Amino acid sequence: MSQFLSSIEPNIIDDEMVQKAIEEKCPEDLGDLARRECTNWKFVTELQLSFKSILQIDNLWPLENLTKLQLDNNIIEKIEGLQSLVHLVWLDLSFNNIEVIEGLDTLVKLQDLSLYSNRISKIEHMDTLQELQIFSIGKNNLTILEDVVYLRRLKSLRTLNLSGNPLCNEEHYTLFVVAHLPSLVYLDFKIVRDSTRKAAALKYQDLTKPLEQEEARVLALQEAQEAKQKELEYHQTAFVEYLNSSLLFDSLYEEDREAAKLASLPGVEDLLQAYPKEFVSVCENLYNYGLEEYEKREAEVSKFYKRLHEILAVNQEESKRIISDFKSRNQRRLDELYQAGSGNLAESERAQGKEDIRQLWDALMTLEALVSNDLEELLQDFKRSIDVIASTFTENIQGIYPFHTMFCTFNQCRDLENEHHEKLMGIVIATLEKLDMDPFDESLPDDVRRLFEDKNTIVNIINTSHSIRLRKIDKRESDMLCNIYQWQISETEKAFQTESDRNRACLGKILCFINTLQKELDNTMILKAKE
């Protein structure tokens, strides 16, 4: 169809076209309710728009649950408007006028893609399609055989169709493709035989070996980065990110140019060797303590939900028993009522049925009240435990109490910074005094001498730097304390909300169940009256 653009009135996908295609797919014998659901765009999973003279893809964004889309045999020139179809598994764009592979980045679940019979000259822009298993790009304008190597990155690819492209005329085309895509099972509608696979591997081993080595290197690097990222996420969850390194200490000096200049003063170099070691040691202790506390927090939360599920399981079993006993009695009564008619015996049975339903209501509501009380007690215990964990963590990190024996507090970081500052200031004062006695002392570099030209200036610089470093330490401590507070609030609110939602849902189910039973009982009288 792509060959007759000049004789066709082009269309853009609009709401009317989509709605009509959806309605055509619905069976004619569907009821009104089923038809409304069938034609609700949010529930549509498949859409066929073949042979519609479509020039431009548009207005598909509401079809958020679409998994299969047919756009074949149109006059589409550009792949676009598909970015919201993130659940798409099957896409047919064959027999169109597409020149460039693009616009597929968000379709990460795509398994089957057909671009057969278009005008594509290069395989590209498919890096995110890691679940793609079937790819048909036959009868296009692919001329460079080496471009097929791009498809090596698609590790799930098993079926490939390239037939009808100029590159298929290249000598040893099949062997080249199979050698570079060793996971292929089918190529150009034919199964790849083991003999072909072996011959291909042997013939092109000089080309594929370096590729395999580079891919192994890239994979190892990627795995290392993923492991590092996973570790960082774990540390962030434990609120101890970057405390197992010198990063916090390094951040204290990253913008302090004067500190580097003062390193040439006698005695400062020794200070700068001892201070980081002690500071990083405290940070590492904070890190280890933070991980220990994280495991305690996780264990406490896990224990709570385990106990919660145990209580609910017992409650559910008891509810099932009560309902099962009732249903066996109730069914016998309903059968008798259908047979009894409207005499005194039937009325007596109905009255007894109503009483049994009322007793069932009381039993289920009593059971729910009991389990709610048990869970309320469990929730209060959980809240107290969470509060204790959070307050203990806060007190230990801050080192609030004078008898505190923790060896990893931010107070220690501040003490080390204050001690370093005092020693540094002592060296600076001694240097100033020395320069007062001998203004022509040439033992200091020129940039350091310029710092000491005015006593107030150098003192202010050092005090300002010291204040900045203390604020950075305070900020890291504040971040950790804010995180533990947010965890405390979040876990508590989540637990209470979970129980509130469960209780509300349970009461709704009981009410609905009782109403249904009552209607069944009432229907026996109505049906008999009709007879």
Side-chain angles (χ1 to χ4, degrees), residues 250-262 417 420 424 461-462 464-466 468-469 472:
D250 294 340
S251 70
L252 303 183
Y253 286 90
E254 63 185 358
E255 297 176 358
D256 193 345
R257 298 176 181 176
E258 282 70 27
K261 296 176 183 177
L262 293 175
E417 169 57 28
H420 173 76
L424 180 61
I461 287 173
I462 293 175
T464 300
S465 297
H466 173 57
I468 291 172
R469 289 194 287 271
K472 289 182 177 181

mmCIF file with all atom_site columns, all heavy atoms in Angstrom, residues 250-262 417 420 424 461-462 464-466 468-469 472:
data_model
loop_
_atom_site.group_PDB
_atom_site.id
_atom_site.type_symbol
_atom_site.label_atom_id
_atom_site.label_alt_id
_atom_site.label_comp_id
_atom_site.label_asym_id
_atom_site.label_entity_id
_atom_site.label_seq_id
_atom_site.pdbx_PDB_ins_code
_atom_site.Cartn_x
_atom_site.Cartn_y
_atom_site.Cartn_z
_atom_site.occupancy
_atom_site.B_iso_or_equiv
_atom_site.pdbx_formal_charge
_atom_site.auth_seq_id
_atom_site.auth_comp_id
_atom_site.auth_asym_id
_atom_site.auth_atom_id
_atom_site.pdbx_PDB_model_num
ATOM 1   N N   . ASP A 1 250 ? 36.454 14.764 52.957 1.00 0.00 ? 250 ASP A N   1
ATOM 2   C CA  . ASP A 1 250 ? 36.884 15.465 51.735 1.00 0.00 ? 250 ASP A CA  1
ATOM 3   C C   . ASP A 1 250 ? 35.986 16.655 51.431 1.00 0.00 ? 250 ASP A C   1
ATOM 4   O O   . ASP A 1 250 ? 36.450 17.689 50.941 1.00 0.00 ? 250 ASP A O   1
ATOM 5   C CB  . ASP A 1 250 ? 36.877 14.499 50.542 1.00 0.00 ? 250 ASP A CB  1
ATOM 6   C CG  . ASP A 1 250 ? 37.914 13.393 50.694 1.00 0.00 ? 250 ASP A CG  1
ATOM 7   O OD1 . ASP A 1 250 ? 38.859 13.571 51.484 1.00 0.00 ? 250 ASP A OD1 1
ATOM 8   O OD2 . ASP A 1 250 ? 37.761 12.346 50.029 1.00 0.00 ? 250 ASP A OD2 1
ATOM 9   N N   . SER A 1 251 ? 34.688 16.489 51.721 1.00 0.00 ? 251 SER A N   1
ATOM 10  C CA  . SER A 1 251 ? 33.750 17.577 51.440 1.00 0.00 ? 251 SER A CA  1
ATOM 11  C C   . SER A 1 251 ? 34.010 18.793 52.323 1.00 0.00 ? 251 SER A C   1
ATOM 12  O O   . SER A 1 251 ? 33.651 19.917 51.965 1.00 0.00 ? 251 SER A O   1
ATOM 13  C CB  . SER A 1 251 ? 32.305 17.102 51.637 1.00 0.00 ? 251 SER A CB  1
ATOM 14  O OG  . SER A 1 251 ? 32.015 16.888 53.013 1.00 0.00 ? 251 SER A OG  1
ATOM 15  N N   . LEU A 1 252 ? 34.635 18.577 53.479 1.00 0.00 ? 252 LEU A N   1
ATOM 16  C CA  . LEU A 1 252 ? 34.934 19.706 54.372 1.00 0.00 ? 252 LEU A CA  1
ATOM 17  C C   . LEU A 1 252 ? 35.937 20.663 53.742 1.00 0.00 ? 252 LEU A C   1
ATOM 18  O O   . LEU A 1 252 ? 35.933 21.858 54.020 1.00 0.00 ? 252 LEU A O   1
ATOM 19  C CB  . LEU A 1 252 ? 35.486 19.197 55.709 1.00 0.00 ? 252 LEU A CB  1
ATOM 20  C CG  . LEU A 1 252 ? 34.630 18.205 56.506 1.00 0.00 ? 252 LEU A CG  1
ATOM 21  C CD1 . LEU A 1 252 ? 35.325 17.877 57.833 1.00 0.00 ? 252 LEU A CD1 1
ATOM 22  C CD2 . LEU A 1 252 ? 33.235 18.749 56.759 1.00 0.00 ? 252 LEU A CD2 1
ATOM 23  N N   . TYR A 1 253 ? 36.786 20.125 52.889 1.00 0.00 ? 253 TYR A N   1
ATOM 24  C CA  . TYR A 1 253 ? 37.894 20.933 52.345 1.00 0.00 ? 253 TYR A CA  1
ATOM 25  C C   . TYR A 1 253 ? 37.794 21.163 50.837 1.00 0.00 ? 253 TYR A C   1
ATOM 26  O O   . TYR A 1 253 ? 38.685 21.769 50.260 1.00 0.00 ? 253 TYR A O   1
ATOM 27  C CB  . TYR A 1 253 ? 39.222 20.222 52.641 1.00 0.00 ? 253 TYR A CB  1
ATOM 28  C CG  . TYR A 1 253 ? 39.640 20.328 54.093 1.00 0.00 ? 253 TYR A CG  1
ATOM 29  C CD1 . TYR A 1 253 ? 39.238 19.365 55.005 1.00 0.00 ? 253 TYR A CD1 1
ATOM 30  C CD2 . TYR A 1 253 ? 40.415 21.393 54.545 1.00 0.00 ? 253 TYR A CD2 1
ATOM 31  C CE1 . TYR A 1 253 ? 39.599 19.461 56.342 1.00 0.00 ? 253 TYR A CE1 1
ATOM 32  C CE2 . TYR A 1 253 ? 40.790 21.495 55.876 1.00 0.00 ? 253 TYR A CE2 1
ATOM 33  C CZ  . TYR A 1 253 ? 40.369 20.527 56.769 1.00 0.00 ? 253 TYR A CZ  1
ATOM 34  O OH  . TYR A 1 253 ? 40.735 20.634 58.093 1.00 0.00 ? 253 TYR A OH  1
ATOM 35  N N   . GLU A 1 254 ? 36.707 20.683 50.215 1.00 0.00 ? 254 GLU A N   1
ATOM 36  C CA  . GLU A 1 254 ? 36.665 20.729 48.754 1.00 0.00 ? 254 GLU A CA  1
ATOM 37  C C   . GLU A 1 254 ? 36.678 22.148 48.187 1.00 0.00 ? 254 GLU A C   1
ATOM 38  O O   . GLU A 1 254 ? 37.100 22.371 47.057 1.00 0.00 ? 254 GLU A O   1
ATOM 39  C CB  . GLU A 1 254 ? 35.439 19.969 48.248 1.00 0.00 ? 254 GLU A CB  1
ATOM 40  C CG  . GLU A 1 254 ? 34.102 20.534 48.679 1.00 0.00 ? 254 GLU A CG  1
ATOM 41  C CD  . GLU A 1 254 ? 32.943 19.651 48.236 1.00 0.00 ? 254 GLU A CD  1
ATOM 42  O OE1 . GLU A 1 254 ? 33.206 18.625 47.569 1.00 0.00 ? 254 GLU A OE1 1
ATOM 43  O OE2 . GLU A 1 254 ? 31.785 19.981 48.564 1.00 0.00 ? 254 GLU A OE2 1
ATOM 44  N N   . GLU A 1 255 ? 36.243 23.126 48.954 1.00 0.00 ? 255 GLU A N   1
ATOM 45  C CA  . GLU A 1 255 ? 36.241 24.508 48.460 1.00 0.00 ? 255 GLU A CA  1
ATOM 46  C C   . GLU A 1 255 ? 37.144 25.420 49.295 1.00 0.00 ? 255 GLU A C   1
ATOM 47  O O   . GLU A 1 255 ? 37.074 26.641 49.192 1.00 0.00 ? 255 GLU A O   1
ATOM 48  C CB  . GLU A 1 255 ? 34.807 25.061 48.463 1.00 0.00 ? 255 GLU A CB  1
ATOM 49  C CG  . GLU A 1 255 ? 33.873 24.307 47.534 1.00 0.00 ? 255 GLU A CG  1
ATOM 50  C CD  . GLU A 1 255 ? 32.446 24.793 47.621 1.00 0.00 ? 255 GLU A CD  1
ATOM 51  O OE1 . GLU A 1 255 ? 32.193 25.708 48.445 1.00 0.00 ? 255 GLU A OE1 1
ATOM 52  O OE2 . GLU A 1 255 ? 31.590 24.279 46.882 1.00 0.00 ? 255 GLU A OE2 1
ATOM 53  N N   . ASP A 1 256 ? 37.972 24.817 50.117 1.00 0.00 ? 256 ASP A N   1
ATOM 54  C CA  . ASP A 1 256 ? 38.835 25.592 51.023 1.00 0.00 ? 256 ASP A CA  1
ATOM 55  C C   . ASP A 1 256 ? 40.237 25.712 50.407 1.00 0.00 ? 256 ASP A C   1
ATOM 56  O O   . ASP A 1 256 ? 41.108 24.881 50.650 1.00 0.00 ? 256 ASP A O   1
ATOM 57  C CB  . ASP A 1 256 ? 38.892 24.903 52.388 1.00 0.00 ? 256 ASP A CB  1
ATOM 58  C CG  . ASP A 1 256 ? 39.500 25.807 53.459 1.00 0.00 ? 256 ASP A CG  1
ATOM 59  O OD1 . ASP A 1 256 ? 40.123 26.823 53.088 1.00 0.00 ? 256 ASP A OD1 1
ATOM 60  O OD2 . ASP A 1 256 ? 39.336 25.503 54.651 1.00 0.00 ? 256 ASP A OD2 1
ATOM 61  N N   . ARG A 1 257 ? 40.442 26.744 49.607 1.00 0.00 ? 257 ARG A N   1
ATOM 62  C CA  . ARG A 1 257 ? 41.728 26.924 48.935 1.00 0.00 ? 257 ARG A CA  1
ATOM 63  C C   . ARG A 1 257 ? 42.821 27.336 49.917 1.00 0.00 ? 257 ARG A C   1
ATOM 64  O O   . ARG A 1 257 ? 43.991 26.989 49.756 1.00 0.00 ? 257 ARG A O   1
ATOM 65  C CB  . ARG A 1 257 ? 41.590 27.992 47.847 1.00 0.00 ? 257 ARG A CB  1
ATOM 66  C CG  . ARG A 1 257 ? 40.594 27.610 46.747 1.00 0.00 ? 257 ARG A CG  1
ATOM 67  C CD  . ARG A 1 257 ? 40.438 28.742 45.747 1.00 0.00 ? 257 ARG A CD  1
ATOM 68  N NE  . ARG A 1 257 ? 39.474 28.409 44.704 1.00 0.00 ? 257 ARG A NE  1
ATOM 69  C CZ  . ARG A 1 257 ? 39.098 29.239 43.746 1.00 0.00 ? 257 ARG A CZ  1
ATOM 70  N NH1 . ARG A 1 257 ? 39.623 30.478 43.698 1.00 0.00 ? 257 ARG A NH1 1
ATOM 71  N NH2 . ARG A 1 257 ? 38.225 28.860 42.844 1.00 0.00 ? 257 ARG A NH2 1
ATOM 72  N N   . GLU A 1 258 ? 42.456 28.113 50.921 1.00 0.00 ? 258 GLU A N   1
ATOM 73  C CA  . GLU A 1 258 ? 43.451 28.592 51.879 1.00 0.00 ? 258 GLU A CA  1
ATOM 74  C C   . GLU A 1 258 ? 44.057 27.444 52.684 1.00 0.00 ? 258 GLU A C   1
ATOM 75  O O   . GLU A 1 258 ? 45.223 27.491 53.067 1.00 0.00 ? 258 GLU A O   1
ATOM 76  C CB  . GLU A 1 258 ? 42.830 29.611 52.842 1.00 0.00 ? 258 GLU A CB  1
ATOM 77  C CG  . GLU A 1 258 ? 42.660 31.010 52.261 1.00 0.00 ? 258 GLU A CG  1
ATOM 78  C CD  . GLU A 1 258 ? 41.580 31.050 51.192 1.00 0.00 ? 258 GLU A CD  1
ATOM 79  O OE1 . GLU A 1 258 ? 40.656 30.203 51.243 1.00 0.00 ? 258 GLU A OE1 1
ATOM 80  O OE2 . GLU A 1 258 ? 41.654 31.923 50.306 1.00 0.00 ? 258 GLU A OE2 1
ATOM 81  N N   . ALA A 1 259 ? 43.239 26.404 52.938 1.00 0.00 ? 259 ALA A N   1
ATOM 82  C CA  . ALA A 1 259 ? 43.749 25.267 53.711 1.00 0.00 ? 259 ALA A CA  1
ATOM 83  C C   . ALA A 1 259 ? 44.933 24.615 53.003 1.00 0.00 ? 259 ALA A C   1
ATOM 84  O O   . ALA A 1 259 ? 45.915 24.215 53.643 1.00 0.00 ? 259 ALA A O   1
ATOM 85  C CB  . ALA A 1 259 ? 42.640 24.243 53.928 1.00 0.00 ? 259 ALA A CB  1
ATOM 86  N N   . ALA A 1 260 ? 44.856 24.526 51.684 1.00 0.00 ? 260 ALA A N   1
ATOM 87  C CA  . ALA A 1 260 ? 45.957 23.935 50.921 1.00 0.00 ? 260 ALA A CA  1
ATOM 88  C C   . ALA A 1 260 ? 47.213 24.792 51.011 1.00 0.00 ? 260 ALA A C   1
ATOM 89  O O   . ALA A 1 260 ? 48.337 24.279 51.089 1.00 0.00 ? 260 ALA A O   1
ATOM 90  C CB  . ALA A 1 260 ? 45.528 23.754 49.466 1.00 0.00 ? 260 ALA A CB  1
ATOM 91  N N   . LYS A 1 261 ? 47.017 26.103 51.019 1.00 0.00 ? 261 LYS A N   1
ATOM 92  C CA  . LYS A 1 261 ? 48.172 27.001 51.113 1.00 0.00 ? 261 LYS A CA  1
ATOM 93  C C   . LYS A 1 261 ? 48.848 26.880 52.483 1.00 0.00 ? 261 LYS A C   1
ATOM 94  O O   . LYS A 1 261 ? 50.075 26.913 52.595 1.00 0.00 ? 261 LYS A O   1
ATOM 95  C CB  . LYS A 1 261 ? 47.731 28.443 50.878 1.00 0.00 ? 261 LYS A CB  1
ATOM 96  C CG  . LYS A 1 261 ? 47.182 28.700 49.472 1.00 0.00 ? 261 LYS A CG  1
ATOM 97  C CD  . LYS A 1 261 ? 46.684 30.138 49.346 1.00 0.00 ? 261 LYS A CD  1
ATOM 98  C CE  . LYS A 1 261 ? 46.069 30.377 47.972 1.00 0.00 ? 261 LYS A CE  1
ATOM 99  N NZ  . LYS A 1 261 ? 45.521 31.756 47.846 1.00 0.00 ? 261 LYS A NZ  1
ATOM 100 N N   . LEU A 1 262 ? 48.046 26.748 53.539 1.00 0.00 ? 262 LEU A N   1
ATOM 101 C CA  . LEU A 1 262 ? 48.600 26.686 54.898 1.00 0.00 ? 262 LEU A CA  1
ATOM 102 C C   . LEU A 1 262 ? 49.336 25.382 55.168 1.00 0.00 ? 262 LEU A C   1
ATOM 103 O O   . LEU A 1 262 ? 50.032 25.250 56.175 1.00 0.00 ? 262 LEU A O   1
ATOM 104 C CB  . LEU A 1 262 ? 47.472 26.849 55.919 1.00 0.00 ? 262 LEU A CB  1
ATOM 105 C CG  . LEU A 1 262 ? 46.786 28.224 55.943 1.00 0.00 ? 262 LEU A CG  1
ATOM 106 C CD1 . LEU A 1 262 ? 45.616 28.213 56.918 1.00 0.00 ? 262 LEU A CD1 1
ATOM 107 C CD2 . LEU A 1 262 ? 47.782 29.318 56.327 1.00 0.00 ? 262 LEU A CD2 1
ATOM 108 N N   . GLU A 1 417 ? 37.198 18.411 64.746 1.00 0.00 ? 417 GLU A N   1
ATOM 109 C CA  . GLU A 1 417 ? 37.330 19.644 63.967 1.00 0.00 ? 417 GLU A CA  1
ATOM 110 C C   . GLU A 1 417 ? 37.738 20.816 64.855 1.00 0.00 ? 417 GLU A C   1
ATOM 111 O O   . GLU A 1 417 ? 38.608 21.622 64.496 1.00 0.00 ? 417 GLU A O   1
ATOM 112 C CB  . GLU A 1 417 ? 36.009 19.944 63.252 1.00 0.00 ? 417 GLU A CB  1
ATOM 113 C CG  . GLU A 1 417 ? 35.915 21.323 62.616 1.00 0.00 ? 417 GLU A CG  1
ATOM 114 C CD  . GLU A 1 417 ? 37.007 21.621 61.610 1.00 0.00 ? 417 GLU A CD  1
ATOM 115 O OE1 . GLU A 1 417 ? 37.539 20.672 60.989 1.00 0.00 ? 417 GLU A OE1 1
ATOM 116 O OE2 . GLU A 1 417 ? 37.361 22.812 61.455 1.00 0.00 ? 417 GLU A OE2 1
ATOM 117 N N   . HIS A 1 420 ? 41.377 20.352 65.814 1.00 0.00 ? 420 HIS A N   1
ATOM 118 C CA  . HIS A 1 420 ? 42.226 20.685 64.668 1.00 0.00 ? 420 HIS A CA  1
ATOM 119 C C   . HIS A 1 420 ? 42.301 22.199 64.474 1.00 0.00 ? 420 HIS A C   1
ATOM 120 O O   . HIS A 1 420 ? 43.381 22.754 64.209 1.00 0.00 ? 420 HIS A O   1
ATOM 121 C CB  . HIS A 1 420 ? 41.672 20.017 63.407 1.00 0.00 ? 420 HIS A CB  1
ATOM 122 C CG  . HIS A 1 420 ? 42.371 20.434 62.149 1.00 0.00 ? 420 HIS A CG  1
ATOM 123 N ND1 . HIS A 1 420 ? 43.618 19.967 61.792 1.00 0.00 ? 420 HIS A ND1 1
ATOM 124 C CD2 . HIS A 1 420 ? 42.007 21.298 61.158 1.00 0.00 ? 420 HIS A CD2 1
ATOM 125 C CE1 . HIS A 1 420 ? 43.989 20.513 60.648 1.00 0.00 ? 420 HIS A CE1 1
ATOM 126 N NE2 . HIS A 1 420 ? 43.021 21.331 60.237 1.00 0.00 ? 420 HIS A NE2 1
ATOM 127 N N   . LEU A 1 424 ? 45.612 24.457 64.558 1.00 0.00 ? 424 LEU A N   1
ATOM 128 C CA  . LEU A 1 424 ? 45.950 25.245 63.365 1.00 0.00 ? 424 LEU A CA  1
ATOM 129 C C   . LEU A 1 424 ? 46.064 26.721 63.715 1.00 0.00 ? 424 LEU A C   1
ATOM 130 O O   . LEU A 1 424 ? 46.983 27.416 63.255 1.00 0.00 ? 424 LEU A O   1
ATOM 131 C CB  . LEU A 1 424 ? 44.892 25.025 62.283 1.00 0.00 ? 424 LEU A CB  1
ATOM 132 C CG  . LEU A 1 424 ? 45.107 25.777 60.965 1.00 0.00 ? 424 LEU A CG  1
ATOM 133 C CD1 . LEU A 1 424 ? 46.423 25.342 60.313 1.00 0.00 ? 424 LEU A CD1 1
ATOM 134 C CD2 . LEU A 1 424 ? 43.949 25.560 60.011 1.00 0.00 ? 424 LEU A CD2 1
ATOM 135 N N   . ILE A 1 461 ? 39.746 34.336 58.004 1.00 0.00 ? 461 ILE A N   1
ATOM 136 C CA  . ILE A 1 461 ? 39.690 33.275 56.994 1.00 0.00 ? 461 ILE A CA  1
ATOM 137 C C   . ILE A 1 461 ? 39.627 31.900 57.660 1.00 0.00 ? 461 ILE A C   1
ATOM 138 O O   . ILE A 1 461 ? 38.812 31.046 57.306 1.00 0.00 ? 461 ILE A O   1
ATOM 139 C CB  . ILE A 1 461 ? 40.899 33.359 56.048 1.00 0.00 ? 461 ILE A CB  1
ATOM 140 C CG1 . ILE A 1 461 ? 40.761 34.559 55.097 1.00 0.00 ? 461 ILE A CG1 1
ATOM 141 C CG2 . ILE A 1 461 ? 41.062 32.070 55.246 1.00 0.00 ? 461 ILE A CG2 1
ATOM 142 C CD1 . ILE A 1 461 ? 41.973 34.814 54.237 1.00 0.00 ? 461 ILE A CD1 1
ATOM 143 N N   . ILE A 1 462 ? 40.491 31.715 58.648 1.00 0.00 ? 462 ILE A N   1
ATOM 144 C CA  . ILE A 1 462 ? 40.546 30.404 59.321 1.00 0.00 ? 462 ILE A CA  1
ATOM 145 C C   . ILE A 1 462 ? 39.273 30.155 60.121 1.00 0.00 ? 462 ILE A C   1
ATOM 146 O O   . ILE A 1 462 ? 38.728 29.035 60.102 1.00 0.00 ? 462 ILE A O   1
ATOM 147 C CB  . ILE A 1 462 ? 41.792 30.336 60.228 1.00 0.00 ? 462 ILE A CB  1
ATOM 148 C CG1 . ILE A 1 462 ? 43.055 30.351 59.356 1.00 0.00 ? 462 ILE A CG1 1
ATOM 149 C CG2 . ILE A 1 462 ? 41.751 29.091 61.093 1.00 0.00 ? 462 ILE A CG2 1
ATOM 150 C CD1 . ILE A 1 462 ? 44.335 30.403 60.136 1.00 0.00 ? 462 ILE A CD1 1
ATOM 151 N N   . THR A 1 464 ? 36.296 31.406 59.513 1.00 0.00 ? 464 THR A N   1
ATOM 152 C CA  . THR A 1 464 ? 35.208 31.178 58.554 1.00 0.00 ? 464 THR A CA  1
ATOM 153 C C   . THR A 1 464 ? 35.245 29.757 57.998 1.00 0.00 ? 464 THR A C   1
ATOM 154 O O   . THR A 1 464 ? 34.215 29.073 57.908 1.00 0.00 ? 464 THR A O   1
ATOM 155 C CB  . THR A 1 464 ? 35.297 32.191 57.404 1.00 0.00 ? 464 THR A CB  1
ATOM 156 O OG1 . THR A 1 464 ? 35.192 33.516 57.918 1.00 0.00 ? 464 THR A OG1 1
ATOM 157 C CG2 . THR A 1 464 ? 34.180 31.948 56.387 1.00 0.00 ? 464 THR A CG2 1
ATOM 158 N N   . SER A 1 465 ? 36.446 29.315 57.641 1.00 0.00 ? 465 SER A N   1
ATOM 159 C CA  . SER A 1 465 ? 36.589 27.944 57.133 1.00 0.00 ? 465 SER A CA  1
ATOM 160 C C   . SER A 1 465 ? 36.160 26.929 58.179 1.00 0.00 ? 465 SER A C   1
ATOM 161 O O   . SER A 1 465 ? 35.492 25.933 57.870 1.00 0.00 ? 465 SER A O   1
ATOM 162 C CB  . SER A 1 465 ? 38.040 27.693 56.716 1.00 0.00 ? 465 SER A CB  1
ATOM 163 O OG  . SER A 1 465 ? 38.414 28.539 55.655 1.00 0.00 ? 465 SER A OG  1
ATOM 164 N N   . HIS A 1 466 ? 36.532 27.210 59.415 1.00 0.00 ? 466 HIS A N   1
ATOM 165 C CA  . HIS A 1 466 ? 36.161 26.321 60.517 1.00 0.00 ? 466 HIS A CA  1
ATOM 166 C C   . HIS A 1 466 ? 34.640 26.269 60.674 1.00 0.00 ? 466 HIS A C   1
ATOM 167 O O   . HIS A 1 466 ? 34.053 25.182 60.839 1.00 0.00 ? 466 HIS A O   1
ATOM 168 C CB  . HIS A 1 466 ? 36.826 26.833 61.802 1.00 0.00 ? 466 HIS A CB  1
ATOM 169 C CG  . HIS A 1 466 ? 36.393 26.116 63.042 1.00 0.00 ? 466 HIS A CG  1
ATOM 170 N ND1 . HIS A 1 466 ? 36.513 24.763 63.196 1.00 0.00 ? 466 HIS A ND1 1
ATOM 171 C CD2 . HIS A 1 466 ? 35.827 26.583 64.202 1.00 0.00 ? 466 HIS A CD2 1
ATOM 172 C CE1 . HIS A 1 466 ? 36.052 24.397 64.388 1.00 0.00 ? 466 HIS A CE1 1
ATOM 173 N NE2 . HIS A 1 466 ? 35.624 25.488 65.012 1.00 0.00 ? 466 HIS A NE2 1
ATOM 174 N N   . ILE A 1 468 ? 32.385 26.832 58.405 1.00 0.00 ? 468 ILE A N   1
ATOM 175 C CA  . ILE A 1 468 ? 31.809 26.118 57.250 1.00 0.00 ? 468 ILE A CA  1
ATOM 176 C C   . ILE A 1 468 ? 31.921 24.613 57.443 1.00 0.00 ? 468 ILE A C   1
ATOM 177 O O   . ILE A 1 468 ? 30.969 23.862 57.178 1.00 0.00 ? 468 ILE A O   1
ATOM 178 C CB  . ILE A 1 468 ? 32.509 26.555 55.949 1.00 0.00 ? 468 ILE A CB  1
ATOM 179 C CG1 . ILE A 1 468 ? 32.144 28.008 55.618 1.00 0.00 ? 468 ILE A CG1 1
ATOM 180 C CG2 . ILE A 1 468 ? 32.135 25.626 54.789 1.00 0.00 ? 468 ILE A CG2 1
ATOM 181 C CD1 . ILE A 1 468 ? 32.927 28.588 54.453 1.00 0.00 ? 468 ILE A CD1 1
ATOM 182 N N   . ARG A 1 469 ? 33.067 24.164 57.930 1.00 0.00 ? 469 ARG A N   1
ATOM 183 C CA  . ARG A 1 469 ? 33.250 22.727 58.146 1.00 0.00 ? 469 ARG A CA  1
ATOM 184 C C   . ARG A 1 469 ? 32.301 22.211 59.226 1.00 0.00 ? 469 ARG A C   1
ATOM 185 O O   . ARG A 1 469 ? 31.729 21.126 59.086 1.00 0.00 ? 469 ARG A O   1
ATOM 186 C CB  . ARG A 1 469 ? 34.710 22.434 58.515 1.00 0.00 ? 469 ARG A CB  1
ATOM 187 C CG  . ARG A 1 469 ? 35.669 22.603 57.349 1.00 0.00 ? 469 ARG A CG  1
ATOM 188 C CD  . ARG A 1 469 ? 37.015 21.984 57.637 1.00 0.00 ? 469 ARG A CD  1
ATOM 189 N NE  . ARG A 1 469 ? 37.767 22.761 58.596 1.00 0.00 ? 469 ARG A NE  1
ATOM 190 C CZ  . ARG A 1 469 ? 38.583 23.772 58.272 1.00 0.00 ? 469 ARG A CZ  1
ATOM 191 N NH1 . ARG A 1 469 ? 38.720 24.128 57.002 1.00 0.00 ? 469 ARG A NH1 1
ATOM 192 N NH2 . ARG A 1 469 ? 39.257 24.426 59.200 1.00 0.00 ? 469 ARG A NH2 1
ATOM 193 N N   . LYS A 1 472 ? 28.879 21.773 57.756 1.00 0.00 ? 472 LYS A N   1
ATOM 194 C CA  . LYS A 1 472 ? 28.777 20.572 56.924 1.00 0.00 ? 472 LYS A CA  1
ATOM 195 C C   . LYS A 1 472 ? 28.599 19.319 57.785 1.00 0.00 ? 472 LYS A C   1
ATOM 196 O O   . LYS A 1 472 ? 27.837 18.414 57.431 1.00 0.00 ? 472 LYS A O   1
ATOM 197 C CB  . LYS A 1 472 ? 30.010 20.439 56.036 1.00 0.00 ? 472 LYS A CB  1
ATOM 198 C CG  . LYS A 1 472 ? 30.060 21.476 54.914 1.00 0.00 ? 472 LYS A CG  1
ATOM 199 C CD  . LYS A 1 472 ? 31.280 21.288 54.031 1.00 0.00 ? 472 LYS A CD  1
ATOM 200 C CE  . LYS A 1 472 ? 31.286 22.290 52.873 1.00 0.00 ? 472 LYS A CE  1
ATOM 201 N NZ  . LYS A 1 472 ? 32.446 22.133 51.987 1.00 0.00 ? 472 LYS A NZ  1
#
